[in-house]
Amino acid sequence: MEQSLTGAMDPEEFRRVGKQVVDWIADYLKDPSKYPVLSRVKPGDIRKQLPGAPPTSPEPMMTLLGDFERIILPGITHWNHPGFFAYFAISGSAPGILGEMLAAALNVNGMLWRTSPAATELEEVVLDWLRQMLGLPADFKGVITDTASVSSLVALTAAREALHRRIRENGLAGRTDLPRLRMYCSEHTHSSIEKAAIVLGIGQNGVRKIQSDDGYRMRADLLGNAIREDRANGWFPFCVVATVGTTSTTSIDPVRALSDICRRERLWLHVDGAYGGVAAIVPELRSVLDGCELADSIVVNPHKWLFTPIDCSCLYTRQVDTLTQAFSLVPEYLRTADRDVTNYMDWGVQLGRRFRSLKLWFVIRSFGVDGLISRIREHCRLAADFASWVDDEPAFERLAPVPFSVVCFRFHPSDVQDEKALERMNSQLLDAVNSTGEVFLSHTKLNGRYTMRMAIGNLATRPQHVMRAWELIRAHARRIHAG
Ligand SMILES: Cc1ncc(COP(=O)(O)O)c(C=O)c1O
């Protein structure tokens, strides 16, 4: 049988099935709410329907698509559902999906400029567009990674390299010439920062978590004290991580005050704006990045709140030389004579790189900056409405300020004061509303209090979905309270 570039599939069959798949996607995106938002399968339900061994002979595409609908779809939690209010409610978009399809079709590896000049140059241009949208200065240069976890790992590796202590060459273990490194973040910082410390050999004990104020923001005064104390005790402070939009409450650390400390103490300042950073494209929210122009690095995730299909995380730094010094390692087989080009393999851990800028380019051009601004603004407006309903309902309590589009709250009837009982009630309430299939919320704990989170960020979410969530929450709360 003649081999073709399209592998097992003949190009005409690809055209036919491809159109069917696009039709399926279009129908799906038209109304994802026909599915329960939270998958109802039990652990193992999907696995037991799948053969344990691969097929030895080819299977028709129609059989595969049939199995996709029959077996896989019931095991999907629908992030596209307008009632998805859990974690950070992220949303892809049709232009982003089309960009992703084309990137898959081209299948380029953007490790070097020459392995696809357009992949590298589009990445540079799109990152610069986004930088301008965010209001960051022109000396911030960017690279796209898969996730904020990896972006932060890359940034913190550069922070470590900035010490010029030959850690890249000699590592950290067994060094008698180097005190133990210390980095600082708040107790509300995302776990990815601690994971980066694990990977970088700093260790979890090398991460000092600074207490937050009552708005869940890192206390700059305590940071200053901690650094002084650590230096006196023989630690080697090297880096501070501030967050714009913490994971539990979306609080914003006082970046400007932290940057003053970093400048004075000569520490690297990394800002994790994975969720909240993109909101700076909205003129009235521009100030959320106040002080970030002084940071050494910052990460924002278009796959969280800029309608770009997962994965797409943008890392910016003003210290490109330090970053590439940390990572550039060019074996003979990757050497090129190209001059004045960016080889993105020098900007991080991975060699092979997906063409992620294509989908971001499609998203920014297809929505237009104004279109993106209006979506984020609307999500914040819906969250403000929801927060006001919580505030107006005596049996409910709001547990954090709402700087973006996430509301932290709990059911707190006046006759229940015991924390354990409140936790039981609220976790029961969460399970009850989530089992309706209409909405999906998640939870966190704030100062030991079980907290429900209503996160609004989905393109399909309309006022009626937010109202419906509130209706369900109140109805189930009444029922649970009545016993
Ligand atoms: C503030 C913050 N930083 C980092 C992350 C990790 O993001 P990613 O999944 O892109 O690694 C999250 C995830 O929600 C987050 O909320």
Side-chain angles (χ1 to χ4, degrees):
M1 195 168 115
E2 197 191 330
Q3 294 292 318
S4 82
L5 265 182
T6 42
M9 199 181 283
D10 151 282
E12 287 315 311
E13 190 194 355
F14 178 80
R15 191 187 310 282
R16 194 169 43 76
V17 180
K19 284 180 177 169
Q20 242 175 289
V21 169
V22 170
D23 277 344
W24 186 92
I25 296 172
D27 288 340
Y28 170 67
L29 293 179
K30 200 154 104 190
D31 187 17
S33 63
K34 61 179 176 255
Y35 302 99
V37 51
L38 180 62
S39 169
R40 292 187 163 141
V41 299
K42 307 238 166 354
D45 276 359
I46 304 299
R47 201 178 321 114
K48 75 180 175 220
Q49 296 179 75
L50 299 166
T56 43
S57 11
E59 294 190 82
M61 210 55 211
M62 285 305 122
T63 312
L64 267 75
L65 292 179
D67 285 353
F68 166 76
E69 291 217 48
R70 188 174 58 82
I71 304 173
I72 303 300
L73 217 46
I76 294 298
T77 289
H78 291 278
W79 291 70
N80 287 300
H81 194 294
F84 190 105
F85 299 119
Y87 313 110
F88 285 125
I90 63 175
S91 182
S93 61
I97 294 168
L98 295 175
E100 191 75 291
M101 283 166 69
L102 289 172
L106 295 171
N107 198 32
V108 302
N109 179 340
M111 57 191 186
L112 295 165
W113 175 83
R114 69 165 47 190
T115 57
S116 250
T120 295
E121 294 186 16
L122 185 66
E123 185 159 333
E124 292 175 308
V125 169
V126 170
L127 283 166
D128 198 60
W129 284 6
L130 182 58
R131 176 195 65 74
Q132 294 170 49
M133 290 158 66
L134 296 169
L136 290 171
D139 59 342
F140 277 90
K141 305 289 178 215
V143 56
I144 301 183
T145 76
D146 52 358
T147 57
S149 303
V150 167
S151 290
S152 289
L153 172 65
V154 168
L156 296 175
T157 312
R160 201 182 65 167
E161 186 64 22
L163 296 172
H164 301 298
R165 294 298 190 105
R166 300 188 66 78
I167 297 170
R168 169 185 159 132
E169 293 80 1
N170 300 327
L172 285 171
R175 297 272 303 254
T176 48
D177 61 328
L178 194 60
R180 280 197 65 191
L181 301 187
R182 187 71 122 176
M183 56 192 256
Y184 303 86
C185 61
S186 95
E187 45 191 351
H188 287 276
T189 302
H190 190 262
S191 52
S192 55
I193 300 304
E194 210 169 316
K195 278 199 188 178
I198 296 171
V199 175
L200 289 172
I202 305 261
Q204 282 174 282
N205 294 335
V207 180
R208 182 156 177 182
K209 294 187 182 166
I210 306 298
Q211 215 185 318
S212 304
D213 63 15
D214 54 11
Y216 307 101
R217 296 166 297 227
M218 195 197 304
R219 281 186 51 186
D221 56 328
L222 295 185
L223 173 67
N225 297 343
I227 294 169
R228 266 189 301 281
E229 185 181 274
D230 281 350
R231 285 201 201 281
N233 289 327
W235 287 91
F236 189 175
F238 80 107
C239 172
V240 173
V241 179
T243 308
V244 172
T246 56
T247 313
S248 281
T249 71
T250 75
S251 60
I252 302 169
D253 286 335
V255 178
R256 187 168 293 282
L258 299 177
S259 80
D260 286 345
I261 297 175
C262 287
R263 201 175 40 245
R264 196 174 65 227
E265 301 282 347
R266 290 199 305 281
L267 308 184
W268 184 287
L269 176 60
H270 174 60
V271 177
D272 179 355
Y275 157 74
V278 293
I281 71 167
V282 181
E284 64 272 24
L285 293 173
R286 175 61 58 86
S287 62
V288 300
L289 289 188
D290 179 51
C292 291
E293 70 279 8
L294 302 165
D296 295 284
S297 53
I298 175 168
V299 53
V300 300
N301 269 13
H303 81 220
K304 281 206 195 319
W305 204 10
L306 211 61
F307 317 119
T308 306
I310 193 164
D311 49 12
C312 186
S313 173
C314 299
L315 171 65
Y316 291 94
T317 181
R318 292 156 66 212
Q319 318 285 356
V320 172
D321 288 350
T322 309
L323 182 75
T324 52
Q325 211 170 292
F327 284 107
S328 181
L329 187 63
V330 188
E332 188 54 38
Y333 44 84
L334 294 172
R335 226 168 266 288
T336 70
D338 302 323
R339 293 284 161 261
D340 300 323
V341 299
T342 298
N343 290 318
Y344 270 125
M345 70 167 190
D346 294 335
W347 290 56
V349 182
Q350 61 183 110
L351 172 65
R353 312 181 68 253
R354 301 181 61 225
F355 190 0
R356 295 191 183 90
S357 57
L358 192 61
K359 59 186 170 186
L360 184 54
W361 190 49
F362 274 33
V363 167
I364 295 175
R365 292 186 63 183
S366 175
F367 281 83
V369 177
D370 286 346
L372 294 168
I373 290 173
S374 66
R375 266 55 171 218
I376 291 178
R377 186 179 277 147
E378 174 66 358
H379 292 155
C380 293
R381 192 188 68 78
L382 292 173
D385 281 352
F386 187 90
S388 72
W389 303 336
V390 171
D391 291 346
D392 291 346
E393 180 69 61
F396 281 81
E397 179 182 19
R398 186 149 62 80
L399 296 173
V402 182
F404 297 104
S405 66
V406 174
V407 184
C408 291
F409 67 102
R410 68 174 174 175
F411 180 44
H412 190 173
S414 56
D415 58 345
V416 186
Q417 293 309 328
D418 176 59
E419 273 305 323
K420 285 234 155 25
L422 283 170
E423 171 157 351
R424 240 184 346 264
M425 267 184 149
N426 278 277
S427 114
Q428 237 181 311
L429 175 56
L430 191 69
D431 286 346
V433 293
N434 286 346
S435 67
T436 63
E438 289 187 65
V439 295
F440 176 30
L441 282 76
S442 58
H443 83 283
T444 187
K445 268 203 177 163
L446 297 174
N447 298 327
R449 295 178 299 185
Y450 188 96
T451 303
M452 292 174 69
R453 285 172 79 266
M454 174 82 179
I456 299 167
N458 191 300
L459 277 178
T461 299
R462 298 282 173 272
Q464 66 266 25
H465 302 112
V466 179
M467 277 186 249
R468 178 66 181 148
W470 183 229
E471 202 173 272
L472 286 170
I473 291 164
R474 277 190 312 166
H476 283 281
R478 272 195 300 271
R479 186 182 53 72
I480 288 167
H481 189 221

